[in-house]
């Protein structure tokens, strides 16, 4: 341990509780009631276990309920049937204890606040003193040094997403939920953001669920990939991803990587057929 | 490069429009096209420039301004607090909406006797101004508070915000542009409300000047008082529209 004394304390966490279950979704159904009594089943009997310190990606065709799984885990929605437990408790408890980090599809930054205040927001909402060193560190981590005083509308789409990821990381959450955080970006920026996220995750090792429709992104980042079917969303298959980290260009160019991409993509294609 | 030219063209247009309006009013008065109640503009202006006329108008304008400002402040404060209360305690929101609408629907003329017996002749103008301002401010603030995006609400839920912090860090800053929208609409309403309030026996003010000028057939004085009220109303509007622009830039 003495050799790692200079590292941040949270890096020792995964090793201590590597076997603990962080997220447990049990036979969860989600049925939305639309106008005039019409019902829409978004999820059907979804089972998902995420161990502490694990990075799980959920992929699926659009509208398959991926984001609904994330909303259940965040405590923003309740399952119609089945249960969702986060660290053995109800999901919203993690939020009220300020131990949850979420980066939404829309970045949801406060337009009147600077980059710095947006990242410091979780501290203020938690009633804690803002840890200036940590905020500075996060700004540097997401490559926004020099933009501390800028307001969201002065930033590009990719920069806003990075601010939103930094905000999600601010309180060193026990669970990080990422809902297509790079959905609106061009391919090049997206790859760069993937690399940055992999690096951030490598440093903080926070239990993470990433929702995406990009197979490459899932394979670059995740320990396991959950493939979901079209409406209603079900878990079709779960793939372990064993490529060594960091997964650089050498990994993504390897035949094994391409094979896995093809396999998962064909699973997604089959889903589109089912959904139609 | 383009902007200064465009601004000056705009200013030139408004000046030209104002000049045409004044000219038309002058000609209508001069040729008696609208009867004897419409004096030529120059008669009104020359009345305003006499020392007695100027001092009379100035003193009464100050009184009306002070009533309007008091009513403006009172109405705005009560309306913002009411809208914030309706936001924090959603169950009372429909009731408050209805109460505001009913209060607004009662004609001022009907309220006047009630106000004179309760708050007295001197304070009635401020209260009537407050009522007009309060309704506008309550409606704009209630919709400003309801205007928060669901993504922002979700964010505050997942970072574990309690009710007070959600109000202070999301809903209040988000409603700042609506607040200034409301003030822009309310400022002229406050002056109108104060002026009308002075019709019911106030000891001084532009409303009183208008009523007495009407009864004594002093057309130049009547128009001068109306002009003073209009100019005050326009100035208030111009001041608040600038603040509203700043707020829009800063908070969206």
């Amino acid at each position: 341990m003495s050799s790692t004394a200079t590292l941040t304390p949270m890096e020792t966490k995964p090793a201590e509780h590597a076997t603990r279950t962080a997220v447990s979704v049990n036979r969860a159904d989600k049925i939305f009631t639309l106008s005039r009594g019409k019902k829409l089943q978004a999820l059907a009997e979804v089972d998902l276990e995420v161990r502490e310190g694990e990075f799980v990606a959920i992929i699926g065709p659009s509208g398959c309920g991926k984001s609904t799984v994330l909303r259940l885990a965040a405590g923003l929605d309740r399952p119609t049937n089945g249960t969702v437990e986060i660290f053995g408790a109800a999901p919203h408890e993690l939020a009220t204890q300020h131990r949850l980090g979420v980066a939404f599809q829309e970045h949801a930054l406060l337009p009147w606040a600077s980059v710095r205040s947006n990242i410091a927001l979780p501290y203020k909402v938690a009633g804690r003193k803002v840890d200036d060193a940590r905020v500075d560190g996060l700004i540097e981590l997401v490559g926004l040094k020099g933009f501390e005083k800028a307001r969201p509308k002065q930033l590009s789409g990719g920069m806003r997403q990075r601010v939103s990821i930094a905000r999600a990381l601010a309180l060193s959450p026990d669970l990080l939920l990422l809902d297509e955080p790079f959905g609106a970006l061009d391919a090049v920026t997206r790859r760069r953001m993937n690399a940055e996220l992999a690096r951030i995750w490598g440093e903080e090792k926070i239990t993470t669920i990433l929702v995406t429709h990009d197979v490459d992104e899932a394979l670059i980042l995740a320990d396991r990939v959950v493939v979901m079917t079209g409406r209603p969303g079900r878990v079709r298959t779960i793939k372990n991803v064993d490529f060594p980290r960091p997964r650089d260009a050498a990994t993504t160019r390897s035949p094994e990587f391409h094979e896995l991409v093809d396999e998962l993509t064909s699973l997604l294609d089959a889903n589109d057929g089912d959904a139609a | 490069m383009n902007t200064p030219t465009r601004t000056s063209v705009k200013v030139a247009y408004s000046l030209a429009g104002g000049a045409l309006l004044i000219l038309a009013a002058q000609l209508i008065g001069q040729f008696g096209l609208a009867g004897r109640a419409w004096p030529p503009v120059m008669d009104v202006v020359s009345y305003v420039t006499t020392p007695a006329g100027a001092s009379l108008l100035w003193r009464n304008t100050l009184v009306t301004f002070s009533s309007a400002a008091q009513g403006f402040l009172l109405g705005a404060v009560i309306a913002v607090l009411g809208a914030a209360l309706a936001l924090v305690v959603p169950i009372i929101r429909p009731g408050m909406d209805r109460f505001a609408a009913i209060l607004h629907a009662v004609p001022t003329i009907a309220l006047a006797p009630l106000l004179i017996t309760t708050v007295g002749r001197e304070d009635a103008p401020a209260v009537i101004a407050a009522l007009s301002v309060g309704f506008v401010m309550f409606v704009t603030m209630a919709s400003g508070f309801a205007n928060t995006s669901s993504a922002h609400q979700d964010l505050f839920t997942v970072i574990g915000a309690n009710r007070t912090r959600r109000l202070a860090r999301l809903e209040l800053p988000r409603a700042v542009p609506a607040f200034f929208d409301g003030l822009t609409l309310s400022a002229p309403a406050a002056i109108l409300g104060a002026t009308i309030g002075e019709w019911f026996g106030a000891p001084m003010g532009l409303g009183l000047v208008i009523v007495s000028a009407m009864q004594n057939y002093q057309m130049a004085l009547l128009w001068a008082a109306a002009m003073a009220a209009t100019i005050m109303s326009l100035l208030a509007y111009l001041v608040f529209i600038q603040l509203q622009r700043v707020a829009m830039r800063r908070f969206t």
Side-chain angles (χ1 to χ4, degrees):
Chain A
M1 276 277 106
S2 61
S3 63
T4 61
T6 53
L7 296 175
T8 50
M10 49 210 146
E11 290 201 36
T12 59
K13 264 199 280 183
E16 282 168 27
H17 318 281
T19 53
R20 234 172 59 165
T21 302
V23 177
S24 152
V25 179
N26 226 317
R27 298 181 69 79
D29 291 336
K30 181 67 195 177
I31 298 165
F32 291 107
T33 307
L34 307 175
S35 57
R36 291 185 206 143
K38 269 196 236 160
K39 292 194 169 174
L40 173 81
Q41 181 155 20
L43 297 178
E45 299 189 349
V46 169
D47 281 311
L48 180 66
E49 290 257 319
V50 180
R51 288 185 303 277
E52 187 157 16
E54 197 181 19
F55 195 126
V56 170
I58 303 178
I59 60 172
S62 37
C64 77
K66 306 183 291 269
S67 299
T68 308
V69 176
L70 222 58
R71 291 181 64 84
L72 294 183
L76 290 170
D77 277 325
R78 283 164 197 277
T80 313
N81 299 305
T83 57
V84 179
E85 280 190 351
I86 312 289
F87 295 107
H92 66 88
E93 281 182 29
L94 201 70
T96 48
Q97 292 162 8
H98 316 294
R99 289 163 59 206
L100 177 64
V102 182
F104 294 95
Q105 215 165 340
E106 313 111 90
H107 48 79
L109 299 178
L110 302 180
W112 51 84
S114 66
V115 165
R116 188 158 229 296
S117 335
N118 265 295
I119 295 175
L121 179 72
Y123 283 99
K124 291 172 191 149
V125 163
R128 293 182 200 164
K129 205 184 153 295
V130 178
D131 181 345
D132 289 318
R134 167 102 183 139
V135 174
D136 286 335
L138 283 167
I139 290 171
E140 213 170 319
L141 193 69
V142 295
L144 285 172
K145 215 157 184 260
F147 290 94
E148 291 88 344
K149 292 208 175 84
R151 293 212 279 124
K153 67 177 166 191
Q154 298 164 318
L155 303 177
S156 71
M159 290 161 117
R160 287 182 206 151
Q161 293 296 10
R162 281 183 273 166
V163 176
S164 133
I165 289 170
R167 179 181 60 193
L169 291 168
L171 296 178
S172 302
D174 292 343
L175 177 63
L176 180 63
L177 304 174
L178 305 172
D179 188 1
E180 300 208 24
F182 315 126
L185 305 185
D186 64 278
V188 177
T189 316
R190 189 172 185 133
R191 283 293 157 263
R192 220 177 33 237
M193 290 300 301
N194 287 160
E196 280 182 45
L197 182 58
R199 184 173 52 82
I200 293 167
W201 187 79
E203 282 181 30
E204 308 229 341
K205 281 276 157 57
I206 297 167
T207 315
T208 304
I209 304 180
L210 166 75
V211 159
T212 180
H213 56 251
D214 182 334
V215 177
D216 289 47
E217 183 169 281
L219 290 178
I220 290 169
L221 291 166
D223 297 317
R224 282 192 296 151
V225 176
V226 178
V227 183
M228 287 184 62
T229 64
R231 211 169 283 158
R234 293 172 203 273
V235 175
R236 179 176 194 119
T237 193
I238 299 181
K239 278 269 167 216
N240 285 314
V241 185
D242 299 323
F243 303 116
R245 291 174 189 274
R247 293 167 184 165
D248 48 18
T251 313
T252 56
R253 274 193 224 114
S254 69
E256 295 86 359
F257 189 89
H258 282 287
E259 229 167 78
L260 206 48
V261 169
D262 289 346
E263 190 188 335
L264 292 180
T265 309
S266 68
L267 282 172
L268 287 180
D269 276 347
N271 291 338
D272 279 346
D274 288 352
Chain B
M1 266 214 62
N2 219 348
T3 331
T5 342
R6 225 177 266 166
T7 318
S8 56
V9 167
K10 251 194 208 165
V11 170
Y13 270 128
S14 5
L15 286 180
L20 272 178
L21 203 66
I22 291 169
L23 182 67
Q26 166 73 17
L27 291 177
I28 289 172
Q30 202 156 13
F31 295 108
L33 296 179
R36 288 177 54 211
W38 188 310
V41 178
M42 286 324 289
D43 287 12
V44 178
V45 172
S46 61
Y47 175 79
V48 172
T49 47
T50 61
S55 127
L56 177 73
L57 275 175
W58 179 244
R59 275 182 289 126
N60 286 288
T61 302
L62 282 184
V63 169
T64 303
F65 175 78
S66 142
S67 300
Q70 282 172 35
F72 186 67
L73 206 66
L74 184 72
V77 168
I78 290 175
V80 171
L81 290 179
L85 189 68
L87 173 73
V88 177
V89 193
I91 194 165
I92 62 170
R93 166 93 199 260
M96 287 186 73
D97 282 350
R98 234 159 285 157
F99 177 69
I102 290 170
L103 204 58
H104 183 66
V106 179
T108 313
I109 303 288
L111 278 179
L114 187 71
L115 288 176
I116 287 165
T117 51
T118 50
V119 299
R121 287 165 199 284
E122 292 186 26
D123 291 329
V127 174
I128 289 176
L131 282 172
S132 331
V133 170
F135 177 71
V136 175
M137 283 305 284
F138 179 78
V139 171
T140 45
M141 285 312 281
S143 78
F145 283 141
N147 188 26
T148 52
S149 79
S150 64
H152 281 138
Q153 291 290 359
D154 285 350
L155 167 73
F156 275 72
T157 305
V158 298
I159 59 178
N162 61 25
R163 195 68 198 85
T164 328
R165 295 214 169 100
R166 191 187 289 262
L167 182 69
R169 301 222 166 254
L170 175 63
E171 285 151 344
L172 284 180
R174 178 104 183 174
V176 167
F179 176 72
F180 283 99
D181 273 346
L183 292 189
T184 306
L185 293 171
S186 306
I191 287 160
L192 181 67
T195 308
I196 291 174
E198 284 160 357
W199 290 2
F200 308 109
M204 259 186 103
L206 287 178
L208 174 73
V209 172
I210 288 172
V211 172
S212 94
M214 238 178 335
Q215 283 162 353
N216 300 306
Y217 211 74
Q218 297 166 287
M219 282 306 133
L221 177 60
L222 172 66
W223 282 76
M227 216 160 66
T230 309
I231 288 170
M232 193 162 37
S233 189
L234 268 176
L235 286 179
Y237 173 79
L238 289 175
V239 167
F240 283 106
I241 196 105
Q242 292 309 321
L243 291 176
Q244 192 255 350
R245 283 196 189 133
V246 173
M248 270 311 262
R249 262 206 306 279
R250 184 63 189 82
F251 284 86
T252 55

